[in-house]
Each structure stands twice: as structure tokens, then as C-alpha cells.
């Protein structure tokens, strides 16, 4: 067993040398701190220094429906991990207020001020396309927990996601909906102003074409819109078997309510943002029959899921959702990467995150590849009487 800890002065000198010597391709100095290296591996790893983690989340404004759950999922996981001993983590939470500007500032804070070993977040792909270029050039491993748009891991080798790509969710939910409901033609409605919903629209179009489902109406709107009568009147003029909807909850709720008020009764298939009890609660009766593909289900029989649901519900006085579950899982994946070489420096975390194979999680077995992409099975659910039930998966 190797023991890496050195005296403070020696460690400081070594860190200085190391940071002078190690410059990543992008020119950013690599973090190399001997006090973040411990002894032992895996469950036996012991690191004396507290490991700093940054969590940049949308804790207020439009995406807080997910961000609040994410904060709780991260908090609960690190409480459990810290209680198990060996490695202690301290998380700094930053609210990006669902704004790109604030997200960029929050990333700068955790990278430069807090010198974190890894970042979790942000909540929306819309911010990630910008903020991930910052953590990539600073050489900080970053794990997305709900950044599902196409092209996210491709931003760089420090960018990972423990969030099922929307392409994978839709490739499961649309065929399942087609089979269950006998869908032959659809109307596709999408938010063209958000990176995630726009990317999901492209995927929906591809999957529908592959499935031989005809798109008879295709209409867009923009984040912040509240009146969908123009788009819905096009739907009314055409009999469709289903509505395929790519939207965040802020627009989904009024759109679906307006559709039902107009007498449009077609079943609705949505993206992973629909996998949220907040959305179901806001839709009330209009949520009946919604079909959604996502990374997690309360009904799934995955390892530890029942305990996770029970513990979370006790701690936060409400049941967890997909966003809490993915955030919780990401914390464990970071811990797994730290313990692999018992090294909580950025470079070691990055190298080891990319080698996680079939980690047994509440999302099911989950792997992260060197290119940052996640592999896990999707869950397709249908909402019945306000409850998510498994349709398939
Ligand atoms: C993204 C998403 C959203 C639904 C997260 C809340 O998947 O922005 O990629």
C-alpha cells in the first residue's frame, strides 16, 4: 500500500512544482495537490483532506422544479458517503437562477474561488453548452445530471453525464407509445428557443420516421410563451392519434391545459422533463395518460431504490423524483472515481470517471465511457391517476 501524504511545506512545494509542470492542452494549469491523495483503494481509501465539490444548479426560477430535487439528491448522497468514512466531501451549492449569465458566473466561482475537484450540474443543457467549455478549459471534471441534449459529452474530455441522453429515452418511449396506443400519425409541438427541447425535437422527428409514424402537424413556440391557441388550432384541424411534445414544464402546463380545454383529447408523449411530480401536480387531471421516457422510476426494482425512496421521503418530507435520483447517483459515481486511485485531484477523477463500468445504482447498472457518455437502460412510464407507472423497461 502506498502512502502519499507529505508534510505541509513539502506538499506545498510539490504542488507548486506540479502546477508549474502540468499544463493541459488548453493551457489550463492542472490541479495537483498531494493532500488530496490518500492511501488504500475503494472502500478502504482514506484521504485526510476534505474534497471540495461544486454543484451549480437552477435552485430558483423556471428550472427550480428540477434543481431543488437535485440539491437534495446530492446532499443526501454525500451525507451517506461521509458517514461511511474514509473520504469526506464538502459541497458548495451555487444557484444559477435558470440564467445563462448566472450559470457562467457560478462555474467561475466554483472553479477559481473554491478550487473544486469536480463539478455537478448545471440543471439545463441550455446553460451547459456554454459553462462546460469553461470547466473543460479549466480542466475540472464535470458531471451533468440532467443535461440530456445531443452533443454534450462531445464538448470535451472533462465533460461527463450521469443523465440519460434524450435520444435514448425517446427511442424507447415513442415505440412503446406507438405499440400501446396504436399511433399512426401525430402532431409534434416543440420549444425552439431551448437547446434541450430543440435537440429533442430533432430526435423525435428521426424516431417517428424510423417508426413509420406520420407527422401531420409540426409547430414551434418559444420559452416564456403562454398562449398556444395558434399551434393548437392547427392540431384541431387535423385528427391525430397523439401529440408529441418537447417542452419544459413552464410551457407544458399551460399548453396541455389549453389543449384539453379545447377538447383535444389525444394522448401525449413527452420528453424527460415530464418525469417530474411537480409537472404532474400542476397538470392535475390533464396529466392522465401522459407517456414519458426517463432515467429513473419509483416503480423500478433497481438496487437500493426502495431504501433511497424511503430515506429521501423521510428526510425531505416528499418523495424523490428522477432529478434527485440522478443527482444522488452522480455523487456516488464521483466517489467511485475518487476511490479508484484514492486520489481526489481533478485529473485522477477525470481519468477514473471514464472507466466506471456497470456501477450498481438506483438507476440500474450505469457506465461512464472515456468520451463522457453514460450507458443505462431507460424507463418508459405512463401517468395513471397522478402516479407514474411502468409501461416498459
Ligand atoms: C435538459 C433537460 C431538462 C429537462 C432538465 C431539467 O433534460 O436541459 O437537458
Amino acid at each position: 500500500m502506498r502512502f502519499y501524504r507529505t508534510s505541509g511545506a513539502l506538499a506545498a512545494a510539490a504542488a507548486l512544482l506540479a502546477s508549474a509542470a502540468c499544463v493541459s492542452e488548453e493551457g489550463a494549469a492542472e490541479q495537483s495537490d498531494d493532500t488530496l491523495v490518500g492511501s488504500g483503494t475503494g472502500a478502504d481509501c482514506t484521504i485526510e483532506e476534505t474534497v471540495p465539490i461544486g454543484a451549480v444548479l437552477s435552485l430558483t426560477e423556471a428550472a427550480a422544479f428540477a434543481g431543488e430535487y437535485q440539491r437534495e439528491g446530492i446532499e443526501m448522497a454525500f451525507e451517506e458517503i461521509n458517514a461511511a468514512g474514509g473520504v469526506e466531501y464538502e459541497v458548495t451549492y451555487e444557484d444559477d437562477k435558470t440564467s445563462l449569465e448566472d450559470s457562467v458566473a457560478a462555474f467561475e466561482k466554483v472553479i477559481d474561488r473554491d478550487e473544486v475537484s469536480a463539478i455537478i450540474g448545471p440543471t439545463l443543457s441550455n446553460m451547459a453548452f456554454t459553462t462546460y467549455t469553461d470547466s473543460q478549459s479549466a480542466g475540472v471534471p464535470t458531471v451533468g445530471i440532467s443535461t440530456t441534449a445531443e452533443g454534450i459529452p462531445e464538448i470535451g474530455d472533462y465533460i461527463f453525464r450521469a443523465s440519460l441522453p434524450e435520444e435514448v429515452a425517446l427511442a424507447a418511449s415513442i415505440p412503446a407509445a406507438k405499440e400501446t396506443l396504436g399511433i399512426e400519425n401525430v402532431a409534434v409541438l416543440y420549444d425552439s428557443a431551448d437547446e434541450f427541447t430543440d435537440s429533442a425535437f430533432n430526435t423525435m422527428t428521426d424516431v417517428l420516421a424510423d417508426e413509420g409514424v406520420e407527422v401531420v402537424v409540426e409547430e414551434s413556440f418559444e420559452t416564456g410563451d403562454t398562449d398556444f391557441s395558434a399551434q393548437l388550432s392547427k392540431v384541431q384541424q387535423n385528427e391525430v392519434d397523439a401529440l408529441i411534445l418537447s417542452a419544459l414544464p413552464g410551457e407544458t402546463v399551460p399548453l396541455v391545459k389549453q389543449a384539453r380545454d379545447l377538447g383535444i383529447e389525444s394522448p401525449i408523449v413527452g420528453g424527460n422533463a415530464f418525469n417530474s411530480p411537480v409537472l404532474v401536480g400542476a397538470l392535475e387531471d390533464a396529466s392522465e395518460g401522459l407517456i414519458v421516457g426517463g432515467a429513473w422510476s419509483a416503480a423500478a426494482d433497481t438496487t437500493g431504490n426502495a431504501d433511497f425512496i424511503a430515506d429521501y421521503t423521510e428526510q425531505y418530507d416528499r418523495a424523490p423524483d428522477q432529478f434527485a435520483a440522478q443527482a444522488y447517483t452522480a455523487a456516488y459515481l464521483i466517489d467511485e472515481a475518487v476511490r479508484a486511485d484514492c486520489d481526489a485531484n481533478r485529473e485522477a477523477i477525470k481519468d477514473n470517471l471514464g472507466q466506471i463500468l456497470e456501477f450498481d445504482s438506483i438507476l440500474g447498472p450505469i457506465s461512464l465511457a472515456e468520451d463522457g457518455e453514460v450507458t443505462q437502460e431507460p424507463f418508459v412510464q405512463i401517468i395513471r391517476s397522478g402516479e407514474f407507472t411502468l409501461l416498459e423497461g
Side-chain angles (χ1 to χ4, degrees):
M1 201 195 299
R2 289 164 72 189
F3 189 72
Y4 293 87
R5 273 185 72 80
T6 53
S7 77
L10 217 70
L16 212 76
L17 267 176
S19 62
C22 299
V23 173
S24 70
E25 275 169 35
E26 293 80 12
E30 285 173 9
Q31 176 206 45
S32 179
D33 180 349
D34 282 0
T35 66
L36 287 172
V37 181
S39 59
T41 60
D44 296 328
C45 162
T46 304
I47 298 175
E48 285 186 25
E49 195 64 43
T50 299
V51 180
I53 303 289
V56 178
L57 307 169
S58 299
L59 297 172
T60 53
E61 304 300 331
F65 76 93
E68 287 178 357
Y69 282 92
Q70 293 177 323
R71 186 181 56 73
E72 292 167 0
I74 295 166
E75 183 177 73
M76 194 170 106
F78 280 120
E79 276 172 16
E80 290 173 4
I81 294 166
N82 288 349
V87 188
E88 174 91 19
Y89 296 87
E90 188 179 338
V91 185
T92 302
Y93 297 91
E94 288 292 330
D95 178 13
D96 75 12
K97 305 185 186 113
T98 319
S99 125
L100 179 56
E101 212 186 353
D102 287 295
S103 207
V104 169
F107 263 69
E108 273 170 20
K109 273 190 205 163
V110 295
I111 293 169
D112 298 328
R113 180 196 64 190
D114 306 323
E115 297 183 342
V116 297
S117 288
I119 299 174
I120 301 175
T123 301
L124 295 183
S125 295
N126 216 30
M127 285 85 185
F129 280 105
T130 304
T131 54
Y132 284 174
T133 58
D134 295 336
S135 49
Q136 171 66 27
S137 57
V140 185
T142 304
V143 183
I145 47 178
S146 51
T147 42
T148 65
E150 242 180 296
I152 292 278
E154 288 86 339
I155 293 170
D157 56 346
Y158 287 82
I159 308 304
F160 297 85
R161 61 173 159 192
S163 48
L164 185 79
E166 189 68 349
E167 291 160 85
V168 180
L170 292 168
S173 60
I174 291 177
K178 181 189 164 194
E179 200 184 310
T180 313
L181 306 170
I183 295 168
E184 287 176 5
N185 56 54
V186 294
V188 179
L189 304 178
Y190 71 104
D191 181 343
S192 60
D194 178 88
E195 296 273 8
F196 152 69
T197 55
D198 192 47
S199 154
F201 159 69
N202 290 322
T203 307
M204 287 167 170
T205 309
D206 291 347
V207 177
L208 289 165
D210 287 350
E211 290 294 311
V213 175
E214 194 190 352
V215 177
V216 291
V217 178
E218 184 186 297
E219 289 289 317
S220 68
F221 50 89
E222 294 195 353
T223 314
D225 285 356
T226 52
D227 178 1
F228 302 94
S229 50
Q231 292 88 345
L232 291 170
S233 76
K234 298 272 173 47
V235 177
Q236 279 183 304
Q237 287 157 26
N238 295 270
E239 287 262 306
V240 290
D241 296 330
L243 295 184
I244 311 286
L245 179 54
S246 185
L248 292 169
E251 292 69 40
T252 299
V253 174
L255 191 154
V256 172
K257 285 192 165 177
Q258 286 168 32
R260 297 309 188 217
D261 287 348
L262 286 168
I264 300 170
E265 292 301 333
S266 319
I268 298 177
V269 182
N272 86 84
F274 283 37
N275 199 1
S276 159
V278 176
L279 182 94
V280 173
L283 281 175
E284 299 166 324
D285 290 350
S287 71
E288 185 64 21
L290 277 182
I291 291 178
V292 53
W296 177 82
S297 168
D301 187 17
T302 46
T303 306
N305 205 25
D307 285 344
F308 165 71
I309 294 168
D311 295 347
Y312 186 102
T313 307
E314 194 185 321
Q315 183 154 341
Y316 299 107
D317 225 13
R318 60 176 178 178
D321 71 352
Q322 161 187 279
F323 300 104
Q326 288 180 299
Y328 176 87
T329 304
Y332 272 96
L333 293 176
I334 289 172
D335 182 56
E336 179 81 357
V338 166
R339 286 173 190 272
D341 283 330
C342 205
D343 185 342
N345 281 292
R346 292 169 174 177
E347 203 61 19
I349 295 177
K350 177 207 114 189
D351 289 345
N352 288 312
L353 274 173
Q355 300 195 35
I356 290 179
L357 268 185
E358 305 263 310
F359 181 82
D360 208 11
S361 81
I362 58 170
L363 308 178
I366 185 166
S367 304
L368 292 183
E370 209 181 325
D371 68 5
E373 191 58 286
V374 66
T375 306
Q376 70 150 108
E377 287 299 317
F379 298 94
V380 181
Q381 301 173 96
I382 183 161
I383 299 165
R384 296 266 182 240
S385 307
E387 297 291 327
F388 287 94
T389 59
L390 283 178
L391 190 64
E392 187 193 74

